[in-house]
Amino acid sequence: SKLDNLSAWRLFCSLCNTRNFSDTAGEFDVEVSTVSRALTSLENALGQTLILRVTCLLYTSDAADD
């Protein structure tokens, strides 16, 4: 079901506090994808980016490269 606007804002506020999609999802007992969709919905409605998503890069260590 579609998230109502108030629920989307609640998820957003939690995300601002936790700075973590998984933690926010756990707090509300929803899937991470629900948090992501809520954020996207708010951003689309406002025509603004609210959260900058940065993908963490992983590098292998020297031990793993051997």
Side-chain angles (χ1 to χ4, degrees), residues 1-27:
S1 68
K2 275 189 152 181
L3 280 173
D4 62 68
N5 203 33
L6 183 57
S7 294
W9 280 111
R10 285 181 177 142
L11 288 170
F12 171 71
C13 288
S14 173
L15 188 56
C16 288
N17 289 325
T18 66
R19 300 189 179 275
N20 185 290
F21 281 80
S22 294
D23 289 350
T24 292
E27 184 179 322

